[in-house]
Amino acid sequence: MSDFKLPLTEKWVSPSLLSADFANLERDMNALAAAGADLLHVDVMDGHFVPNLTIGIPVVESLKKVAPLPLDVHLMIEKPERYIEGFIKAGSDYLTIHVESIEKPADVLRRIRELGARPGITLRPGTPLSAVEPYLALVDLVLVMTVEPGFGGQSFREDQVPKMAELKRLRAEKNYSYLIEVDGGVSDKTVQQCADADVLVAGSYVFKNDLRSAIRKLKGLA
């Protein structure tokens, strides 16, 4: 598991494997690590909570066996409490749940930590930040979705930028210790609007360009 101390010295990049070549995931994960990525973002969708179906526990288990970086797993599924133990046993290092998908988020977040993973919480663009505020003391990561979850390649929603700024303000005010992560339409054209984020999730932008160059641009090193 990747340890962190705030503030980070530079932004972390967590490329989304949803944009990788599924026939060559080990190759692509190694290439991302060599290019300077910090985490590997795994989008889990069940076809119910979001209108798309991707990977499940067996694939995460296979990824973990060869992954050169920690797995940053985002559960876009109904009733995640049924599956968190399986995903953690499979090798999830960070495990993020949607506040909209569960009745008692606090119980599930505590359980994720008890099982040995870093808990994270996220919310759809239409959900106010106040929905996750009661749980900020319990998490190591807060994911701001700047697109509607479910599909890659969507455009960045500027109206979600204030959530990142507010999360940074709350973290300082309350002495919280979570990473602020942003996912959706992140590229060299939108990264300046993500100044308050610590971790940048990018799929289409990273894989459609030279990996090292794209990651360096996101980190502000180019």
Side-chain angles (χ1 to χ4, degrees):
M1 193 159 22
S2 181
D3 291 324
F4 61 88
K5 182 178 181 180
L6 295 170
L8 299 181
T9 56
E10 65 178 34
K11 296 213 182 283
W12 286 2
V13 176
S14 183
S16 173
L17 296 182
L18 189 63
S19 297
D21 180 352
F22 272 47
N24 293 282
L25 286 172
E26 181 178 4
R27 178 203 67 190
D28 284 0
M29 289 192 297
N30 286 328
L32 290 167
D38 302 279
L39 305 170
L40 297 167
H41 195 78
V42 182
D43 292 299
V44 177
M45 310 180 196
D46 63 0
H48 297 283
F49 183 71
V50 293
N52 197 4
L53 186 66
T54 56
I55 69 176
I57 292 171
V59 177
V60 172
E61 185 175 16
S62 295
L63 291 174
K64 187 63 178 179
K65 292 176 181 177
V66 294
L69 296 170
L71 298 182
D72 171 24
V73 180
H74 175 193
L75 297 184
M76 289 170 272
I77 63 176
E78 292 182 353
K79 300 188 183 301
E81 66 272 20
R82 296 180 178 179
Y83 306 102
I84 58 169
E85 185 170 357
F87 275 105
I88 292 170
K89 285 183 177 179
S92 303
D93 295 288
Y94 290 79
L95 192 62
T96 299
I97 61 171
H98 270 265
V99 70
E100 306 94 348
S101 70
I102 194 163
E103 292 183 3
K104 297 181 178 180
D107 292 346
V108 177
L109 294 168
R110 291 189 185 99
R111 184 62 177 155
I112 290 171
R113 193 179 299 281
E114 289 172 1
L115 291 169
R118 291 190 180 276
I121 197 161
T122 185
L123 66 168
R124 293 179 183 273
T127 302
L129 190 63
S130 58
V132 303
E133 283 187 42
Y135 315 111
L136 295 180
L138 302 175
V139 299
D140 288 339
L141 183 149
V142 184
L143 170 57
V144 175
M145 295 298 300
T146 53
V147 299
E148 189 63 33
F151 292 92
Q154 299 181 64
S155 297
F156 182 91
R157 287 182 52 170
E158 295 183 6
D159 61 343
Q160 300 304 298
V161 172
K163 288 181 179 176
M164 290 180 261
E166 180 63 5
L167 283 167
K168 187 174 183 179
R169 185 191 70 79
L170 287 169
R171 184 173 67 187
E173 180 182 293
K174 305 288 188 179
N175 199 29
Y176 293 144
S177 58
Y178 51 76
L179 293 166
I180 301 168
E181 185 173 67
V182 57
D183 183 5
V186 176
S187 71
D188 59 339
K189 302 295 192 297
T190 60
V191 69
Q192 296 302 322
Q193 297 180 73
C194 303
D196 291 319
D198 307 294
V199 185
L200 308 170
V201 177
S204 302
Y205 170 69
V206 168
F207 282 96
K208 288 181 179 179
N209 294 282
D210 174 78
L211 298 181
R212 182 176 294 277
S213 175
I215 289 172
R216 285 181 62 82
K217 285 181 180 179
L218 292 179
K219 287 175 176 274
L221 300 175

